[in-house]
């Protein structure tokens, strides 16, 4: 209890003093769970709360933030920032909703040290959201690995939950991450979201010995799909939609997450992998759903 109070007090002190950015890496299991749309909507919601927000986009092509959201074109020259040729603020594209976007693919960040990459995270922003693209082995980039929190996005479906567990398993062994935050996306009811979270948390605690914190949930909403068709985020296009209200709630709660130390770089030692196989997890989740 004392440690929890200390963590909360430290988080509030840093928030009020604006000393350092909160860095959150957002990722998940399969394509389609909504990681990039989560990043965009949280960025917009945080900007509406008066926060200075930087989105670091590790994705390429149609999956990039700039491709999903109009008004964020020209988000780049991360290599020039890392080389010290331009300031971070000059390289970022400023979106009309009030947040900045910097394209930082693995290819453009290759060859730089963790300390050099940390320059992107040490700027004036209150919150840095990294739309993290995982390596084939499931590891975070050296940039995203410096985040304070990893937010796993999943959906209410056995396959998505299984993939989220597999994602956490790989990240746990690669980076020794002891805690994840989980956002359940596209939910039909709060009860479904709660059941999904509890199932995932229990299995992860039992077989990975990691803790999972509930980040919230976002309703299944046809206006979300419509906002994407318009090249906008639902928080801006349809602010009264349930999904928009959900994103605003998650964003406001994020500001009070206890500030934790940044994660370490990938582990070099071989871990003993005794975690539950993904196939067994799927069976366990199905069994719990029908219990």
């Amino acid at each position: 209890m004392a440690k929890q109070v200390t963590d909360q007090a430290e988080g509030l002190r840093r928030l009020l003093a604006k000393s350092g950015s909160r860095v959150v890496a957002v990722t998940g299991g399969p394509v389609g769970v909504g990681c990039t749309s989560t990043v965009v909507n949280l960025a917009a919601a945080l900007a509406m709360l008066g926060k200075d927000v930087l989105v670091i986009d590790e994705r390429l092509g149609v999956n990039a933030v700039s491709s999903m959201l109009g008004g964020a074109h020209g988000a780049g020259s991360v290599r020039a920032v890392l080389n010290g040729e331009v300031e971070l603020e000059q390289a970022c594209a400023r979106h009309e909703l009030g947040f900045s976007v910097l394209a930082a693919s693995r290819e453009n960040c290759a060859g730089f040290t963790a300390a050099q990459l940390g320059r992107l995270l040490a700027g004036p922003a209150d919150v840095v959201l990294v739309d993290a693209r995982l390596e084939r082995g499931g590891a975070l980039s050296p940039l995203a690995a410096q985040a304070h929190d990893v937010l796993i996005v999943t959906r209410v479906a056995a396959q998505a939950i299984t993939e989220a567990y597999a994602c956490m398993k790989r990240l746990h062994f690669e980076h020794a991450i002891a805690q994840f935050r989980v956002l359940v996306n596209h939910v039909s009811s709060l009860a479904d979201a709660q059941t999904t979270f509890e199932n995932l948390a229990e299995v992860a605690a039992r077989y990975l010995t990691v803790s999972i914190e509930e980040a919230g949930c976002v309703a299944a909403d046809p206006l979300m799909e419509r906002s994407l068709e318009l090249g906008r985020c639902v928080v801006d296009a349809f602010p009264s939609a349930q999904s928009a209200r959900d994103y605003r709630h998650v964003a406001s709660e994020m500001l009070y997450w206890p500030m934790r130390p940044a994660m370490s770089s990938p582990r070099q030692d071989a871990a003993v992998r005794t975690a539950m196989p993904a196939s067994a997890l799927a069976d366990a989740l199905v069994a719990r759903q029908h219990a």
Side-chain angles (χ1 to χ4, degrees), residues 154-156 161 182-185 187-202 212-218 285 288-289:
T154 188
R155 288 196 175 197
V156 182
I161 299 171
V182 173
L183 184 145
V184 186
N185 201 9
V187 304
S188 299
S189 69
L190 290 175
D192 286 346
Q194 188 63 34
T195 299
T196 297
F197 174 80
E198 290 175 354
N199 289 347
L200 187 57
E202 179 174 334
I212 299 179
E213 296 291 333
E214 191 171 8
C217 63
V218 177
L285 289 172
R288 282 180 55 80
Q289 290 280 5

Side-chain angles (χ1 to χ4, degrees), residues 116-130:
Q116 290 172 312
L117 293 171
R119 289 188 58 200
L120 302 179
L121 308 176
D126 298 307
V127 181
V128 177
L129 299 176
V130 184

